[in-house]
Amino acid sequence: MTTSAGWYLRRLSRMGPREVGGRVGDAVRRRRWRSSPPDCPRPVDARFTVVLPAGAIAAVPADAVKRLVAEADRLMAGHAEYFGVVRDDMTDPDWWFDPKTGRRAPWGYAFDVPYRDEEAVGDIKQIWEPSRHQYLTVLAAAYAVTEDERYAERVAEHLRSWWAANAPLRGVHWISGIELGIRLLSWVWIRRLLDGWSGAAGLFEDNPVALNQIWHHQRWLAAFPSRGSSANNHIIAEAAGQFAAACAFGWWPASARWRQEALRSLDQHLRSNTFPSGLNRELATEYHGLVLELGLAALAEADAAGVEVPASVHLVLLRMTDALAAVVDNRSRPPRQGDADDGHGLVLDGAGTNRWASLLATGDALFGGLAWWPPVTGSDVRTPLLAALIRPKAPAVTRPANRPAHFADAGMTILRGPGEIWARCDGGPHGFLSIAAHAHADALSVEVRHDGVDVLADPGTFCYHGQPHWRQYFRSTLGHNTLELDGADQSGSGGPFLWTRHARSRVLVADTSGERVSHWCAEHAGYQGVVHRRRVELVAAGRELRVVDEVRGPRKAARLAFHLGPEITAELAGDRAVLTWTRDGEDRSAVLDLPGELDWRAHRGESDPPLGWYSPGFGRKEATTTLVGTGFADGTRGFTTVLRFHG
């Protein structure tokens, strides 16, 4: 997928003068670096001192160690999976190869590589992901808990291979700052976890190639930060990685300045990327997790190095943790909102570790869980290691006395009912900053679960680059549980990460105080000359969720979609669907009574155009049932949908 001149014009239109000026300066600097790249100065007193405290490794629970070692052994055998693509070549990976398309990225000056063009480069996510070196942090952690030198030697072999194949400013791994930032964070933890290995110093501080790479990564991040409309989770990763490296590898004259600037950026952008309620402003839940992981990892480096961190950093991380505890369902699953690309800030655990439970466990260790928090279940490697480095510090702030259900700034409301009924109602902003890069056209959508099972599901993301029709579907209005008018999205897309017109929503009612009935009502005017208003009621006694859609304005063609989760079987007869599924060996069921004013059809696994899909993770999709009602909204009658769960 090449980038057209029209896209550049649309992108430019979303920038302010300061951002345009900064990007012009970046372009000049890239031209200068092409002919005269910076040279790495001689390091000063290159010693690694920010090691884990005594007893930290011993505090890792036995079951977490077991999962970690199993994952490490799988990696040692060469097996890995990235975004649904299984790889068996990880004993000796080709750092530029995309196994999905079979293409190999071209060599050349980094900023000349057309990384958005899948025909020329391959799937860039497949190429970039292994080079975040988070699988190497897993191997290094396996060494730390077992002292088996095979793991350390494999890590050293792969780092030397990567450094040799990816000279500074050459190739696809020097294009995106988020990649450099996360890679630096991985290197800090690799060095820390290998500290007991005799070859650790020779791999890092006594290795001129490693020193050159570490310095150039930090120099790059200082020169090319994400700017303006792009200052979302990317700038957090850049600042966190830069700060971590400047703390742990502070061996150059510029290290103190890099550390200070990175901490200032991290503080500023953690606050700007987060609502006062604690939810992430991108309204993309997985990026909430990524930013929280990055923030906690940076805090660990600060405390390990004795660097004072502003109280505002602690406060944002505390609020993010409390917000996460507030929105998860009874199985510790948060909403599936907005984009999700399975990105992690710091990976130290084996497969099967619950990411969200791990974050809550870390929050409990650092800030203390509140009485209304869900039980913190499971175990992980990362929590005890972060807790060993971070000095607990309770910010002077009043925390919620009861579990929040309505987040006014984010426009998110969680309705809860008997039988572990969980419903998310979306009446918030379209997204973050002028381009809302990771937003979906999902205004007034609902997401409903029963005991952790997706019943009315948010279909997810599936892809970013290379497959524009799938990218468009998964972030479209039709791709969510809401109302589409005249075959158009509520917000206008100008590209895969660019929205040129944003639907504006507002919540009118959010009353979750009653034990018998919870009420929510919101509206948006994303369709010109038309207002879509939706009311949702959750009635506890009948285990019933009632959704009423009203359209105020001229007659419009309408499509109302309800996407069922992949575990749900649906039998549609007219305007009634009987839903069945199994949870923990027990049969469950519900009835979905659909608006009779519309003509209802079930769609499953259709590709031309896409309809009836669910993406459990980036790069993966599976067929599921989508119920679509077609007809007209004439401004006189509403559409009423009733979902009743059986006992």
Side-chain angles (χ1 to χ4, degrees), residues 37-285:
D39 292 324
C40 174
R42 183 185 299 275
V44 178
D45 192 23
R47 293 179 300 122
F48 187 82
T49 59
V50 286
V51 298
L52 286 168
I57 296 297
V60 178
D63 58 334
V65 170
K66 184 178 179 179
R67 288 193 305 272
L68 168 64
V69 171
E71 181 71 8
D73 288 342
R74 190 169 72 95
L75 291 167
M76 291 291 288
H79 305 305
E81 181 179 330
Y82 295 107
F83 311 131
V85 177
V86 176
R87 297 187 63 161
D88 296 316
D89 61 341
M90 293 302 291
T91 54
D92 185 20
D94 181 339
W95 303 109
W96 293 25
F97 177 67
D98 165 28
K100 177 181 168 184
T101 64
R103 297 187 179 93
R104 197 168 187 272
W107 173 260
Y109 184 57
F111 299 114
D112 290 343
V113 178
Y115 70 97
R116 293 188 180 94
D117 187 351
E118 191 169 291
E119 293 296 320
V121 175
D123 186 328
I124 193 62
K125 291 282 287 180
Q126 290 287 344
I127 297 172
W128 276 344
E129 192 68 17
S131 288
R132 290 185 171 188
H133 291 168
Q134 292 175 327
Y135 79 97
L136 294 182
T137 56
V138 170
L139 290 175
Y143 165 76
V145 300
T146 65
E147 298 185 354
D148 187 335
E149 295 193 353
R150 293 180 305 117
Y151 301 124
E153 289 163 356
R154 177 63 59 82
V155 171
E157 176 187 339
H158 282 205
L159 283 179
R160 290 191 172 106
S161 168
W162 194 93
W163 290 332
N166 294 279
L169 302 177
R170 292 294 180 267
V172 293
H173 298 302
W174 290 88
I175 296 172
S176 174
I178 188 174
E179 304 304 316
L180 276 76
I182 290 177
R183 192 156 51 239
L184 276 178
L185 187 57
S186 294
W187 291 354
V188 168
W189 273 89
I190 289 168
R191 176 60 184 87
R192 175 174 289 127
L193 292 164
L194 295 185
D195 191 62
W197 179 52
S198 60
L203 180 62
F204 281 92
E205 54 264 34
D206 295 339
N207 181 358
V209 175
L211 293 172
N212 188 53
Q213 286 277 352
I214 293 167
W215 184 85
H216 271 283
H217 272 67
Q218 294 184 81
R219 181 76 168 95
W220 193 108
L221 289 171
F224 302 113
S226 292
R227 301 182 184 277
S229 55
S230 294
N232 51 19
N233 62 85
H234 284 230
I235 190 68
I236 303 291
E238 294 160 14
Q242 176 79 301
F243 179 71
C247 287
F249 304 141
W251 304 328
W252 290 277
S255 293
R257 173 170 55 83
W258 288 340
R259 184 167 57 244
Q260 183 180 29
E261 291 176 354
L263 181 56
R264 184 185 307 116
S265 176
L266 184 68
D267 180 26
Q268 173 191 342
H269 290 289
L270 275 174
R271 286 184 281 114
S272 65
N273 275 252
T274 308
F275 286 113
S277 66
L279 289 180
N280 184 266
R281 286 185 185 270
E282 292 196 78
L283 296 173
T285 307

Side-chain angles (χ1 to χ4, degrees), residues 139 149 155 185 234 274 336 393 446 493 533 564 582 619:
L139 290 175
E149 295 193 353
V155 171
L185 187 57
H234 284 230
T274 308
R336 283 168 54 90
K393 181 180 179 182
V446 295
S493 173
R533 177 175 291 183
L564 306 182
T582 301

Side-chain angles (χ1 to χ4, degrees), residues 482-558:
T482 189
L483 183 67
E484 178 203 76
L485 297 179
D486 279 351
D489 287 337
Q490 310 145 334
S491 296
S493 173
F497 297 99
L498 171 62
W499 294 94
T500 55
R501 178 176 52 81
H502 300 185
R504 298 183 181 275
S505 304
R506 62 173 184 149
V507 176
L508 305 175
V509 177
D511 183 0
T512 61
S513 60
E515 295 184 3
R516 296 181 178 181
V517 183
S518 298
H519 301 271
W520 177 86
C521 179
E523 64 183 20
H524 78 86
Y527 300 112
Q528 190 171 6
V530 174
V531 173
H532 172 206
R533 177 175 291 183
R534 168 169 278 186
R535 290 184 284 116
V536 178
E537 286 185 353
L538 178 58
V539 182
R543 299 161 60 87
E544 174 184 292
L545 190 82
R546 180 178 295 265
V547 180
V548 179
D549 291 291
E550 299 173 348
V551 176
R552 299 181 180 182
R555 179 179 168 91
K556 297 282 186 180

Side-chain angles (χ1 to χ4, degrees), residues 550-578:
E550 299 173 348
V551 176
R552 299 181 180 182
R555 179 179 168 91
K556 297 282 186 180
R559 286 197 291 183
L560 180 60
F562 290 108
H563 300 263
L564 306 182
E567 298 179 55
I568 307 300
T569 298
E571 296 291 338
L572 177 65
D575 56 9
R576 168 169 284 198
V578 177

Side-chain angles (χ1 to χ4, degrees), residues 6-7 9-14 430 433-437 475 490-495 497-504:
W7 179 88
L9 289 174
R10 292 190 297 273
R11 185 67 183 85
L12 184 64
S13 72
R14 310 304 293 177
H430 175 62
L433 301 175
S434 62
I435 63 173
R475 66 181 196 147
Q490 310 145 334
S491 296
S493 173
F497 297 99
L498 171 62
W499 294 94
T500 55
R501 178 176 52 81
H502 300 185
R504 298 183 181 275

